[in-house]
Amino acid sequence: MTAVLVLEDGRVFRGEPFGAVGETLGEAVFTTGMTGYQETLTDPSYHRQIVVQTAPQIGNTGWNGEDDESTGIQVAGYAVRDPSPRASNWRSTGSLDDALRTQGIVGIAGIDTRAVVRHLRERGAMRAGVFSGVSLASDELLVERVRQSPGMEGADLYGAVTVREPYVVEAQGDKVFTVAALDVGIKFNTPRMMALRGIETHVLPADTTIEQILALEPDGFFLSNGPGDPATADGPVALTKQVLERRIPLFGICFGNQILGRALGRGTYKLRYGHRGINIPVVEHATGRVAITSQNHGFAVEGSAGERFDTPYGTGVITHTCPNDGCVEGLAGLDFPAFSVQYHPEAAAGPHDAADLFDRFCALMDEHRSSGRHHLRENV
């Protein structure tokens, strides 16, 4: 049986079905991670994207019930070169192919993923489709189907992945802090990392109000990762401004970095092909320290290394950039309690260079605990 990956510029790659058979549309992107495919597939930041895996051999560790980063597979489609015919890990409870088929994820295998990646690097991430079975048609017709699908610019997607009802992840051991986490695509490992530090995390829907936040009397506010164009996130941006006005210590990652950037008056823009992988360097300008980070983003905040700028809450600064392309990788307030990074300190899967950012969040909450609660009472 044949399957095809069709790009909007007319390029077609032919292979065989992998996972479910049918049709799927989304934005074609590539990830450079050599491991962690289960965490990649279940990352809500990949919602409505067709992920091309640069590592040629995928699936050897199978699938298990412990490594999911959300309630299910989030990608629109999956493209690999050489899927493993069997799983050989003691933790495995099934195969990758079975997981894709069970969850209805249309994929393709046996294609030259190196050629696909080179094409996307040169032309940029673009609309695409994977087709197999009865969905197959002439190349011309399939290209037209892809071109009629929505693009990622202007895509409002965080509402599709946010939690519907709040839930609480308890602190491990004694509770030290309470954090209100706005879920615009949060990964399961994030509240687990906070729990290890004595944080009780209240994971909240994206449409949560400031009154609901204040009712929790939080020591801090967390902005999660998530999918789509940050220019559409007007609700989370408005909430973030209200949090900043009350000087509640704030920490954001990935999409949360872009939301904070917008709340501080910065613009955002779409990257040519984005940063997706677990080997991306980031420079922290205050220390010169370089961290190897896990990233997954197609948009970025405008700015340059070390730039200082005025905000309604005080002076802001661009704290981190990527040495590969100068992309903004972090923001902070110099005289207000907020900071964010464009990468994933929870790093599942990935390096642990940035795990100390959760400790920095704890230090920020500890430093501002008394003054933060004073502002909470003033503004209830």
Side-chain angles (χ1 to χ4, degrees), residues 105-222:
I105 306 301
V106 177
I108 184 171
I111 62 173
D112 185 350
T113 50
R114 184 179 180 184
V116 179
V117 170
R118 288 175 64 89
H119 190 79
L120 295 177
R121 279 180 59 89
E122 293 171 3
R123 306 291 183 88
M126 63 182 74
R127 291 173 293 182
V130 178
F131 305 90
S132 57
V134 296
S135 298
L136 289 169
S138 68
D139 289 356
E140 293 77 15
L141 182 57
L142 295 181
V143 170
E144 186 57 31
R145 284 190 205 169
V146 169
R147 289 175 178 170
Q148 290 176 359
S149 65
M152 194 55 68
E153 283 191 271
D156 185 354
L157 301 181
Y158 66 88
V161 299
T162 187
V163 68
R164 300 305 164 195
E165 296 293 334
Y167 65 90
V168 178
V169 178
E170 301 288 347
Q172 293 190 19
D174 294 336
K175 185 180 83 167
V176 182
F177 301 109
T178 299
V179 165
L182 193 70
D183 177 14
V184 287
I186 200 167
K187 294 166 69 176
F188 285 163
N189 204 43
T190 300
R192 282 198 294 259
M193 293 286 281
M194 290 198 276
L196 291 172
R197 291 160 171 83
I199 297 174
E200 178 184 276
T201 305
H202 293 251
V203 182
L204 306 172
D207 61 357
T208 297
T209 66
I210 188 62
E211 289 76 20
Q212 292 169 312
I213 299 290
L214 296 176
L216 298 173
E217 297 188 357
D219 298 294
F221 180 72
F222 178 80

Side-chain angles (χ1 to χ4, degrees), residues 30 56-57 89 129 179 188 198 213 224 249:
F30 62 88
Q57 296 173 321
N89 187 277
V179 165
F188 285 163
I213 299 290
S224 81

Side-chain angles (χ1 to χ4, degrees), residues 70-321:
S70 67
T71 56
I73 298 177
Q74 300 286 343
V75 304
Y78 200 39
V80 303
R81 178 164 187 164
D82 184 16
S84 175
R86 64 181 61 84
S88 58
N89 187 277
W90 66 273
R91 298 173 66 239
S92 172
T93 56
S95 71
L96 171 58
D97 185 45
D98 287 341
L100 293 169
R101 271 194 271 115
T102 299
Q103 298 189 45
I105 306 301
V106 177
I108 184 171
I111 62 173
D112 185 350
T113 50
R114 184 179 180 184
V116 179
V117 170
R118 288 175 64 89
H119 190 79
L120 295 177
R121 279 180 59 89
E122 293 171 3
R123 306 291 183 88
M126 63 182 74
R127 291 173 293 182
V130 178
F131 305 90
S132 57
V134 296
S135 298
L136 289 169
S138 68
D139 289 356
E140 293 77 15
L141 182 57
L142 295 181
V143 170
E144 186 57 31
R145 284 190 205 169
V146 169
R147 289 175 178 170
Q148 290 176 359
S149 65
M152 194 55 68
E153 283 191 271
D156 185 354
L157 301 181
Y158 66 88
V161 299
T162 187
V163 68
R164 300 305 164 195
E165 296 293 334
Y167 65 90
V168 178
V169 178
E170 301 288 347
Q172 293 190 19
D174 294 336
K175 185 180 83 167
V176 182
F177 301 109
T178 299
V179 165
L182 193 70
D183 177 14
V184 287
I186 200 167
K187 294 166 69 176
F188 285 163
N189 204 43
T190 300
R192 282 198 294 259
M193 293 286 281
M194 290 198 276
L196 291 172
R197 291 160 171 83
I199 297 174
E200 178 184 276
T201 305
H202 293 251
V203 182
L204 306 172
D207 61 357
T208 297
T209 66
I210 188 62
E211 289 76 20
Q212 292 169 312
I213 299 290
L214 296 176
L216 298 173
E217 297 188 357
D219 298 294
F221 180 72
F222 178 80
L223 284 168
S224 81
N225 60 290
D229 188 341
T232 68
D234 292 342
V237 169
L239 178 63
T240 299
K241 290 179 178 179
Q242 293 173 314
V243 169
L244 291 168
E245 287 168 0
R246 289 158 175 82
R247 301 185 69 82
I248 302 171
L250 184 153
F251 176 32
I253 67 170
C254 198
F255 197 59
N257 180 66
Q258 297 157 16
I259 291 172
L260 177 61
R262 281 196 57 202
L264 297 179
R266 310 298 293 184
T268 56
Y269 64 98
K270 193 173 191 303
L271 295 166
R272 184 172 179 80
Y273 49 81
H275 297 171
R276 297 176 180 89
I278 56 178
N279 59 347
I280 299 168
V282 168
V283 178
E284 182 177 30
H285 298 293
T287 63
R289 176 174 177 257
V290 176
I292 303 302
T293 68
S294 172
Q295 296 195 20
N296 173 15
H297 65 107
F299 292 84
V301 176
E302 293 178 344
S304 57
E307 178 187 352
R308 295 191 178 195
F309 54 95
D310 293 329
T311 82
Y313 321 102
T315 302
V317 62
I318 305 298
T319 56
H320 301 69
T321 54

